[in-house]
Amino acid sequence: SCLQTWLSLQGWGSLGVVLFVVTFGPFAIFYFAFYILCFVGGGFVVTLLFGKSSSEKYLEQCEHSFLPCTSVGIPKCIEEMKREARPIKIDRRLTGANIIDEPLQQVIQFSLRDYVQYWYYTLSDDESFLLEIRQALQYALVQFSARSKETDWQPYFTTRLVDDFGTHLRVFRKAQQRIAEKGDQMKDQAEELVDTFFEVEVEMEKEVCRDLVCTSPKDEEGFLRDLCEVLLYILLPPGDFQNKIMRYFVREILSRGILLPLINQLSDPDYINQYVIWMIRDSNCNYEAFMNIIKLSDNIGELEAVKDKASEELQYLRSLDTAGDDINTIKNQINSLLYVIKVCDSRIQRLQSGKEIDTVKLAANFGKLCTVPLDHILVDNVALQFFMDYMQQTGGQAHLFFWMTVEGYRVTAQQQLEVLQSRQKDGKHQTNQTKGLLRAAAFGVYEQYLSEKASPRVNIDDNLVAKLAETLNHEDPTPEIFDDIQRKVYELMLRDERFYPSFKQNVLYVRMLAELDMLKDPSFRGSDDGEGESFNGSPTGSINLSLDDLSNVPSDETVQLHAYISDTGVCNDHGKTYALYAITVHRRNPNSEETWKTYRRYSDFHDFHMRITEQFENLANILKLPGKKTFNNMDREFLEKRKKDLNAYLQLLLNPEMMKASPALAHYVYDFLENKAYSKGKGDFARKMDTFVNPLRNSMRNVSNAVKSLPDSLAEGMTKMSDNMGKMSERLGQDIKQSFFKVPPLIQKTYSDPDHCRVAAPIDDNVDDNIPLRVMLLLMDEVFDLKERNQWLRRNIKNLLQQLIRATYGDTINRKIVDHVDWMTSPEQVADAVKRFRDAFWPNGILAETVPRRDKAIRMRTRVAGKTKLLEVMPDELKHIIGAETTRKGILRVFEMFQHTQLNKRMVYVFLERFLETLFPQNKFHELFNKLHSRSKQMQRYKQRLHSTQAPSLQK
């Protein structure tokens, strides 16, 4: 069937083709194909033309709907560009004080000129963009000024600033201690110190570490950009802050143009050293202080720089052609320079070999050390703390505490009896009450140290104790009631081999000598320098015997001294004119003989005379120093007369019979005639304050201090006696206290977060209200490391400072400090600071060029000069209170802290952070800074260590 269907279709198709050809002819099929092609082509052309016209209409509609009309926008833009620039009006008010606004406007103008305009004008002449930046800066300054006026700056300057500096110093001190424990294994101690510093910082801060900001320039720039952007967010209006282009420009100007150069300058150790020298420029460099710095220096660069400069000066002096008196002066200078070079070479060789000498062990093994009498130890604060430590080690503290307590009882009893007598003269009778208090105090001393119940008990003659008990029971107590037993206790401490004799063989005794500055010189003195130092000649003899020179100390039994004043002269130093006496000294030893010249002023003679007459009272009637003369004391005739009188004074002093009568006098004479700057025993301030300081020294040995220094077992039993004597003292000064405290404190006590006051947190409550006492005690704690030493000394220092401040100013000192803070933030001072900033960055209106880094040798010599100046400016009174060695180490520690750029940057950033936290208390800057410093490597290591230490305990 399929086949049939296919055949039928084929037949019908063939028939149709035949009929079409017969009907239309043979070319009809070509015409048909042509017609079909034309139909298709025509349809394509019509479709193309219609689509184009429709697309154009649609695009025209789109242009009218979304884009500005080209026929209107372009001409309008051209018209705006051709229009003349209108004058720009700028409101120049910023802070409300014209004295501040003028220099601030100049700073803004200079900043835009040097950081924006120099490249912007190459792109466009339109100043609208510059105007917007200027207005944004002015708006930010207006907001900043408004915030500053609302802020109370007193806590920042008196608390936070000091606490942050103390914390920085504590971190540095602990980093030094940690490195010292590691030994000499580090190749680069400076780099290791920086790493250790930030390691200690994160352990103390717990939440933040600033190592990246201080050690990585890239991270520092990023930190400043983020900080400036936050400040712009706070200070700018929202519309201006959303303008990214302008915001980025202002941010870069603030961060890279102003803050970064300022921070780099403040962190430069060389800049700080120059500033320190400039601040104490009125102080003259002392030869002895300079030589001490050279001998103590552990920096080879410093020593080489000093040596090179000395060699240069030596060559210059040798090239001079001189004659007459000048040649002696030049010879002296040449000898001094040769000695400096020799000391530098010796120190460099020792440092390079790594064979540092332990000076304490050297002195302990030396054998002959100068002897400090026990009576001097008991009245000297510095010496007493070492003797107290030793007595506690040997179990003899009860004897020492008894002696101190009796001293306090005697002073207080004498005061109360004097008050009682004065009241009786005025018709007031309080005899029974006062005697009752004295009896209670005396019984307290007896029960605590001498009774059978006393623990520990002072072992003394039972007959004396029984006699004392009978006196207490039947007679009124007197200030001298304990004198016999106290004298026996003193003799016991002096002669018993367990106490003072063994103490002189102990290392604590050597350290005591170092603190008293007596290891370098066999004379009992307490200072290195004094006001108005004398000029020194050449070191032809012994100069400044230090710990390195202990083996050269002469033996007094074999030394013979002869001296006479050979010449006089008048010197002018920094506008001060004074007479100078040249003393020629001959020293004869069994094996050698030396001659040198030393130079002394009349004030040196006067100080020396006061010192020896205080120590040897019999000399006051024998030695007579020529008197002072106020006017015409520089006349040649007068100087010759004084020279003759002083020569007679010296000859009488050096008389062999005089030396035999007072053997200890030889040490003082040798100290005075030695070829070095004379070390005055008391400065002018100390002499003027003698009437005030001496009672304070007695009060520091009173009962309350003795009780505080006792062990807990002894202190509890003395509480009642201390309270009774405290009431007596309170009654004695009742009138004064009423005048001190009748007005409430001006400054309210502020309680700071312990995390932000790492250093000040443990300070006593009664100190916080007294701002100067708090600041001075805090700085002394950290600079001189008092908390690690004897607490008795620290309490005495606190009491001394408190009484000194109160006697000088009373409670008005807080008011003075508030007034000073107000003065510091006054418009005049702020304007002065802005002007200094402007003149530093744009001297004469021109952007300052980058100051080239000074040569290394110059920087090293500046370091030496800075340390010398700092040691020279330290008062003798401070050395008397805490010790010469402690003072020297503390000052050098502070100086060394400023010799590391990274550590200086850390301190600057801490001050900046606290400043912003104080200025914007509502903006949570503390949390912001923690986030900005969160990428710290030290912080990450600390968290890892903390996690590893906590993990085992959590598993348990």
Side-chain angles (χ1 to χ4, degrees):
S1 61
C2 293
L3 181 61
Q4 292 177 355
T5 302
W6 183 78
L7 291 175
S8 62
L9 290 173
Q10 191 175 25
W12 284 104
S14 299
L15 179 60
V17 171
V18 171
L19 291 175
F20 180 81
V21 172
V22 172
T23 304
F24 296 101
F27 295 100
I29 189 169
F30 295 103
Y31 294 131
F32 182 72
F34 178 72
Y35 294 152
I36 292 175
L37 181 62
C38 289
F39 177 78
V40 174
F44 179 76
V45 172
V46 171
T47 303
L48 180 63
L49 293 176
F50 177 77
K52 179 182 178 183
S53 61
S54 299
S55 299
E56 289 177 352
K57 292 180 180 180
Y58 180 74
L59 289 175
E60 186 176 356
Q61 292 176 358
C62 292
E63 290 177 357
H64 286 291
S65 300
F66 302 103
L67 299 176
C69 180
T70 55
S71 60
V72 179
I74 294 177
K76 187 176 181 180
C77 181
I78 295 174
E79 183 181 356
E80 289 287 339
M81 294 178 66
K82 291 181 179 180
R83 189 176 299 174
E84 293 184 1
R86 292 173 295 181
I88 301 175
K89 295 183 179 180
I90 300 176
D91 187 1
R92 303 183 67 84
R93 295 175 297 177
L94 297 174
T95 64
N98 185 61
I99 192 175
I100 302 177
D101 293 346
E102 286 300 324
L104 269 181
Q105 288 289 352
Q106 292 179 350
V107 170
I108 296 175
Q109 179 182 349
F110 293 155
S111 299
L112 292 177
R113 182 196 66 189
D114 295 326
Y115 295 110
V116 179
Q117 291 178 2
Y118 81 95
W119 59 263
Y120 177 76
Y121 283 142
T122 62
L123 302 178
S124 173
D125 295 332
D126 184 21
E127 296 188 358
S128 59
F129 175 70
L130 300 176
L131 175 62
E132 291 181 1
I133 293 182
R134 188 182 188 109
Q135 289 177 339
L137 286 173
Q138 293 192 170
Y139 185 87
L141 287 174
V142 170
Q143 297 299 316
F144 184 86
S145 174
R147 291 289 186 100
S148 300
K149 294 177 181 178
E150 298 172 357
T151 302
D152 180 15
W153 292 107
Q154 178 265 322
Y156 175 76
F157 286 107
T158 61
T159 302
R160 295 186 180 181
L161 208 62
V162 181
D163 292 347
D164 289 332
F165 178 79
T167 301
H168 186 84
L169 183 57
R170 174 178 291 184
V171 174
F172 179 77
R173 176 165 50 82
K174 290 185 177 296
Q176 279 188 324
Q177 293 174 355
R178 190 168 297 184
I179 287 182
E181 293 172 358
K182 295 179 181 179
D184 298 329
Q185 300 176 357
M186 291 78 66
K187 296 182 180 179
D188 190 349
Q189 288 198 359
E191 183 178 352
E192 184 69 19
L193 177 63
V194 173
D195 294 339
T196 307
F197 178 91
F198 289 109
E199 182 181 332
V200 176
E201 181 197 19
V202 72
E203 293 175 0
M204 182 174 293
E205 298 279 359
K206 307 295 183 184
E207 298 178 353
V208 65
C209 184
R210 302 169 182 84
D211 56 335
L212 281 183
V213 175
C214 300
T215 57
S216 172
K218 182 178 179 181
D219 290 297
E220 182 181 13
E221 292 179 4
F223 172 81
L224 290 176
R225 288 194 185 98
D226 294 338
L227 181 59
C228 290
E229 194 149 352
V230 172
L231 292 176
L232 293 177
Y233 173 78
I234 296 174
L235 299 175
L236 290 180
D240 291 342
F241 183 78
Q242 296 300 329
N243 187 340
K244 292 185 177 181
I245 297 178
M246 185 184 67
R247 185 173 83 231
Y248 291 161
F249 273 120
V250 176
R251 183 191 70 182
E252 292 300 315
I253 291 174
L254 291 177
S255 62
R256 294 178 58 86
I258 297 178
L259 286 180
L260 188 60
L262 181 61
I263 292 173
N264 287 336
Q265 183 178 20
L266 295 177
S267 305
D268 183 15
D270 189 49
Y271 172 80
I272 296 175
N273 296 339
Q274 294 180 63
Y275 188 73
V276 168
I277 295 175
W278 177 82
M279 287 184 63
I280 51 180
R281 58 191 179 278
D282 294 334
S283 173
N284 298 325
C285 284
N286 177 269
Y287 181 79
E288 185 179 5
F290 171 72
M291 294 308 303
N292 280 337
I293 291 298
I294 297 300
K295 293 182 179 182
L296 294 173
S297 176
D298 57 357
N299 189 309
I300 295 180
E302 292 179 0
L303 298 170
E304 290 179 343
V306 173
K307 175 187 172 183
D308 293 343
K309 189 64 177 178
S311 301
E312 179 182 337
E313 291 292 327
L314 185 63
Q315 292 179 0
Y316 170 74
L317 291 175
R318 286 175 171 172
S319 66
L320 295 178
D321 184 13
T322 57
D325 295 337
D326 292 340
I327 193 170
N328 295 325
T329 302
I330 291 179
K331 285 182 178 179
N332 291 340
Q333 294 177 358
I334 290 175
N335 290 333
S336 298
L337 292 173
L338 289 173
Y339 182 73
V340 170
I341 294 173
K342 178 182 177 181
V343 172
C344 289
D345 285 333
S346 175
R347 188 65 182 163
I348 290 172
Q349 292 176 4
R350 184 172 298 168
L351 291 174
Q352 289 176 341
S353 63
K355 297 179 180 179
E356 270 299 296
I357 295 179
D358 189 336
T359 53
V360 173
K361 291 182 179 179
L362 174 64
N365 297 329
F366 176 56
K368 181 174 177 57
L369 295 173
C370 53
T371 300
V372 181
L374 180 60
D375 56 344
H376 285 171
I377 292 177
L378 293 177
V379 298
D380 187 276
N381 292 315
V382 177
L384 182 56
Q385 62 167 318
F386 289 97
F387 187 59
M388 186 181 298
D389 290 341
Y390 175 78
M391 293 294 282
Q392 288 177 339
Q393 292 177 7
T394 58
Q397 67 270 24
H399 299 78
L400 178 59
F401 293 151
F402 171 78
W403 189 92
M404 295 169 60
T405 304
V406 171
E407 285 290 300
Y409 169 82
R410 183 187 300 108
V411 171
T412 307
Q414 289 174 351
Q415 291 175 349
Q416 292 304 309
L417 291 178
E418 290 174 0
V419 173
L420 179 62
Q421 292 175 0
S422 64
R423 288 181 178 273
Q424 287 177 346
K425 291 180 181 179
D426 297 336
K428 301 177 182 179
H429 299 283
Q430 293 180 339
T431 305
N432 295 333
Q433 185 178 4
T434 302
K435 290 183 178 180
L437 291 174
L438 287 177
R439 184 182 299 277
F443 267 106
V445 176
Y446 174 81
E447 293 291 334
Q448 185 64 36
Y449 293 104
L450 303 174
S451 67
E452 297 294 336
K453 300 178 181 179
S455 178
R457 183 173 182 267
V458 175
N459 296 321
I460 205 67
D461 189 359
D462 293 337
N463 294 329
L464 289 176
V465 176
K467 181 179 177 181
L468 174 64
E470 184 178 355
T471 302
L472 288 174
N473 290 326
H474 298 92
E475 299 178 11
D476 292 334
T478 63
E480 298 81 16
I481 192 171
F482 294 102
D483 283 4
D484 292 339
I485 298 181
Q486 186 191 30
R487 193 176 300 109
K488 290 292 183 182
V489 170
Y490 175 83
E491 293 178 358
L492 179 66
M493 291 190 296
L494 178 65
R495 307 191 184 284
D496 195 317
E497 288 295 330
R498 297 173 299 166
F499 303 139
Y500 178 68
S502 297
F503 174 63
K504 291 192 295 183
Q505 307 299 324
N506 192 277
V507 68
L508 287 174
Y509 183 79
V510 181
R511 292 177 180 172
M512 181 196 73
L513 294 180
E515 292 294 350
L516 295 175
D517 212 12
M518 296 175 63
L519 281 180
K520 66 181 181 181
D521 196 328
S523 62
F524 181 61
R525 65 169 192 239
S527 63
D528 280 331
D529 47 27
E531 191 269 334
E533 297 294 341
S534 302
F535 174 77
N536 291 295
S538 64
T540 55
S542 174
I543 293 184
N544 186 25
L545 297 176
S546 66
L547 289 173
D548 294 338
D549 308 318
L550 279 174
S551 58
N552 298 326
V553 176
S555 174
D556 300 320
E557 291 79 2
T558 59
V559 173
Q560 295 181 8
L561 287 177
H562 302 278
Y564 64 94
I565 300 177
S566 56
D567 198 5
T568 61
V570 178
C571 295
N572 190 298
D573 188 8
H574 292 78
K576 296 181 180 180
T577 303
Y578 55 87
L580 206 60
Y581 300 91
I583 306 175
T584 301
V585 185
H586 300 279
R587 181 178 63 183
R588 184 177 301 169
N589 294 328
N591 301 323
S592 63
E593 184 175 351
E594 293 178 290
T595 301
W596 69 86
K597 279 189 177 183
T598 188
Y599 298 85
R600 295 289 179 258
R601 298 174 54 177
Y602 176 79
S603 61
D604 299 331
F605 277 95
H606 183 269
D607 182 89
F608 170 71
H609 179 76
M610 296 294 294
R611 184 187 298 185
I612 62 175
T613 52
E614 287 177 2
Q615 296 295 328
F616 309 95
E617 297 180 358
N618 59 319
L619 295 181
N621 298 324
I622 302 175
L623 292 173
K624 299 298 181 183
L625 187 71
K628 294 183 178 180
K629 185 179 180 182
T630 305
F631 302 102
N632 299 324
N633 55 5
M634 296 298 161
D635 293 343
R636 190 66 190 175
E637 183 179 351
F638 172 76
L639 292 180
E640 288 296 329
K641 182 179 182 302
R642 176 171 282 181
K643 169 187 171 183
K644 180 180 178 181
D645 294 339
L646 290 176
N647 258 328
Y649 177 86
L650 279 178
Q651 301 313 313
L652 181 59
L653 180 67
L654 296 175
N655 189 298
E657 298 298 328
M658 181 81 71
M659 292 294 180
K660 290 180 181 179
S662 302
L665 178 63
H667 298 305
Y668 293 88
V669 175
Y670 178 81
D671 175 39
F672 180 72
L673 296 178
E674 192 177 4
N675 192 1
K676 64 178 182 180
Y678 176 62
S679 303
K680 291 187 177 181
K682 294 183 179 180
D684 290 340
F685 177 79
R687 293 191 184 97
K688 295 175 183 177
M689 296 296 290
D690 268 346
T691 57
F692 173 72
V693 174
N694 289 335
L696 289 183
R697 288 178 177 173
N698 292 331
S699 66
M700 285 193 296
R701 299 194 302 270
N702 61 19
V703 177
S704 60
N705 283 339
V707 172
K708 291 178 182 179
S709 60
L710 296 177
D712 294 339
S713 60
L714 296 177
E716 184 176 359
M718 289 290 291
T719 303
K720 183 176 180 180
M721 184 194 71
S722 177
D723 292 340
N724 291 334
M725 301 187 73
K727 294 178 181 178
M728 295 161 61
S729 299
E730 183 178 359
R731 183 174 291 106
L732 175 65
Q734 184 175 4
D735 296 336
I736 299 176
K737 290 186 177 181
Q738 286 178 353
S739 64
F740 278 167
F741 298 105
K742 62 184 179 182
V743 179
L746 181 64
I747 300 178
Q748 298 298 324
K749 185 176 179 179
T750 56
Y751 293 91
S752 303
D753 185 357
D755 292 337
H756 298 136
C757 298
R758 284 79 57 202
V759 171
I763 290 183
D764 303 333
D765 291 339
N766 61 341
V767 172
D768 288 345
D769 285 333
N770 193 325
I771 294 176
L773 177 61
R774 179 188 179 279
V775 171
M776 293 172 68
L777 186 60
L778 187 149
L779 292 179
M780 290 188 71
D781 276 344
E782 298 307 320
V783 173
F784 304 110
D785 198 12
L786 295 182
K787 287 187 178 180
E788 302 295 331
R789 302 180 63 192
N790 193 305
Q791 290 301 307
W792 174 87
L793 175 65
R794 185 178 182 272
R795 279 191 292 268
N796 277 347
I797 291 174
K798 188 189 80 171
N799 292 336
L800 178 63
L801 293 175
Q802 194 167 16
Q803 295 181 52
L804 180 61
I805 292 171
R806 180 168 295 173
T808 308
Y809 297 102
D811 284 351
T812 61
I813 185 65
N814 281 2
R815 184 181 299 277
K816 291 181 181 293
I817 291 178
V818 172
D819 294 341
H820 186 70
V821 172
D822 292 339
W823 174 78
M824 290 172 59
T825 55
S826 64
E828 292 78 9
Q829 293 303 309
V830 174
D832 187 58
V834 175
K835 290 177 182 178
R836 288 199 301 268
F837 174 80
R838 177 200 61 193
D839 296 338
F841 275 74
W842 293 278
N844 299 321
I846 302 174
L847 182 63
E849 298 180 358
T850 303
V851 179
R853 189 173 177 84
R854 299 201 306 168
D855 182 69
K856 181 181 178 181
I858 298 178
R859 287 186 281 116
M860 290 295 104
R861 288 195 292 270
T862 305
R863 286 183 54 168
V864 174
K867 287 192 284 188
T868 305
K869 286 274 191 179
L870 282 177
L871 285 185
E872 179 67 21
V873 81
M874 285 299 103
D876 292 342
E877 289 74 21
L878 182 63
K879 299 175 184 178
H880 294 159
I881 294 174
I882 63 176
E885 187 70 13
T886 299
T887 302
R888 185 160 43 243
K889 287 183 178 179
I891 296 303
L892 293 181
R893 180 187 298 118
V894 174
F895 185 85
E896 181 63 26
M897 182 183 69
F898 288 113
Q899 305 311 308
H900 303 273
T901 304
Q902 299 91 333
L903 307 190
N904 294 337
K905 283 192 174 183
R906 188 261 178 193
M907 186 166 59
V908 173
Y909 279 117
V910 168
F911 290 163
L912 177 61
E913 292 172 9
R914 296 294 177 266
F915 175 81
L916 294 177
E917 290 175 11
T918 304
L919 189 63
F920 305 101
Q922 306 298 329
N923 295 102
K924 299 181 179 180
F925 264 95
H926 180 66
E927 298 179 4
L928 172 66
F929 288 129
N930 288 347
K931 292 180 180 179
L932 292 178
H933 295 301
S934 59
R935 295 187 301 106
S936 166
K937 297 180 181 178
Q938 291 286 358
M939 194 71 192
Q940 295 173 2
R941 296 173 190 167
Y942 175 75
K943 291 181 178 179
Q944 292 176 357
R945 291 196 302 267
L946 192 64
H947 178 73
S948 61
T949 55
Q950 291 179 350
S953 60
L954 293 175
Q955 293 176 359
K956 292 181 181 179

